[in-house]
Amino acid sequence: MSSLVSEYAAGTLFGSALFAAGVFAPSTIVAQMRLEDFTMAKAMLGASATSALVVHLADSTGFSAMKPRTPQSVGYFPYDGNILGGAMIGVGMALTGACPGTVFVQAGAGLPSGIFVLGGGILGGLLFVSAQPSIAKLRQGRSNSKSTAELTIPKSMGVSPWLVLAMWEILCFGMLQLLSGFEGPGKQGLVSPVIGGLLIGTAQACAIALTRHTVGTSGAFEDVGRWLRNALSGDASKGPITASVMFDCGIMSASALLARFLLPAAAAQASSNLVSPAVAVVGGAVMAFGSRLAGGCTSGHGISGLATFSWASLISVGSMFAAGILTAALR
């Protein structure tokens, strides 16, 4: 029980940071994919730089072992699951104006499209657990899908992780300087995107202190989907209350309180005009399925995974934004 409380507390801190940064707004996420607003990119860069420092301090001091995200395969070649799953997340983001983490902020804040995306995400989780046996069978039948390469950039290059960390911090700072000239259409959050990113990284530190692991939000879709599948099969003995579900409940709770008391106009944003219910449900299902196929989402890969310099996360995030930008351009 205490571990579930810790997950919930960590979720409230993470949700508060996402809300404060303003990256939950559907218009902001869609504009990012259209390369019209770089609020999301700025926040992610700030969060990644902070998280990388936090993760390596926790790992090097022995406080907790920070495991990198592992390659995901559907059976054809190494990382094909990361590529396909990441692309599905990007498509879903461009269609819905949400990601597997911010959808919980949107739903908690009462944004209409977010509630439909969340419903689609649960459907996507159900579809994924139903497809798992087929994916596992395909993977087992193809030996060339197994990767023997090192999981992280420092290990594969044979260099110190602290050297890579220093280079990563410089890269993130340089990218933030480059993007500083690109201003969005208006302030969506309580703080600037960069400060919001620092808050997200701080929430990462708190999450590690409370739970001994990095943040991730998409596992709840799989957990709830598995419970629904079992319930539909007549076995509802084990409820859907897992660590991932409690973490995301914390995000929703914090967002609901902040939307009510600090930013009451959040629910009035034009998300319903931006995303129709049908598109929100379909896009949410695609996004959630992809997040589980890739083994992570914008939080698990984009904030936590990149902080460990995982190749799987780098490939997944690249696929997300490539597919999202392409989808936005074709709409």
Side-chain angles (χ1 to χ4, degrees), residues 91-330:
V91 169
M93 289 171 65
L95 291 176
T96 66
C99 70
T102 59
V103 65
F104 295 103
V105 182
Q106 293 178 6
L111 273 64
S113 64
I115 297 172
F116 286 105
V117 176
L118 181 58
I122 293 172
L123 174 62
L126 176 60
L127 293 173
F128 178 76
V129 297
S130 300
Q132 271 185 318
S134 298
I135 296 173
K137 184 177 180 181
L138 179 63
R139 186 184 297 123
Q140 291 172 0
R142 293 178 176 272
S143 59
N144 63 338
S145 67
K146 298 179 180 178
S147 174
T148 57
E150 294 288 355
L151 299 180
T152 65
I153 295 172
K155 287 188 176 180
S156 63
M157 293 185 173
V159 297
S160 167
W162 291 101
L163 175 61
V164 178
L165 175 62
M167 295 176 65
W168 185 255
E169 299 297 321
I170 294 171
L171 176 64
C172 288
F173 180 77
M175 289 296 295
L176 285 172
Q177 289 295 107
L178 181 65
L179 295 176
S180 62
F182 296 90
E183 296 296 334
K187 184 179 178 181
Q188 298 284 3
L190 301 175
V191 298
S192 70
V194 177
I195 297 300
L198 295 178
L199 290 176
I200 293 171
T202 302
Q204 173 82 272
C206 294
I208 292 173
L210 289 168
T211 67
R212 298 299 193 273
H213 63 75
T214 53
V215 301
T217 60
S218 63
F221 293 118
E222 183 176 345
D223 293 342
V224 174
R226 182 170 291 106
W227 173 77
L228 283 174
R229 183 198 60 184
N230 294 339
L232 291 172
S233 301
D235 179 17
S237 57
K238 187 177 181 180
I241 306 302
T242 64
S244 295
V245 171
M246 289 300 293
F247 184 86
D248 292 339
C249 284
I251 295 177
M252 293 181 67
S253 299
S255 303
L257 288 173
L258 290 172
R260 180 177 177 84
F261 295 109
L262 293 181
L263 198 60
Q269 295 183 67
S271 59
S272 57
N273 296 327
L274 189 67
V275 185
S276 69
V279 171
V281 171
V282 173
V286 170
M287 186 169 62
F289 191 102
S291 69
R292 301 321 302 146
L293 192 63
C297 59
T298 44
S299 299
H301 277 308
I303 297 175
S304 298
L306 287 182
T308 64
F309 308 132
S310 162
W311 282 113
S313 295
L314 185 63
I315 292 169
S316 296
V317 172
S319 299
M320 285 178 209
F321 281 94
I325 292 170
L326 179 61
T327 302
L330 294 175

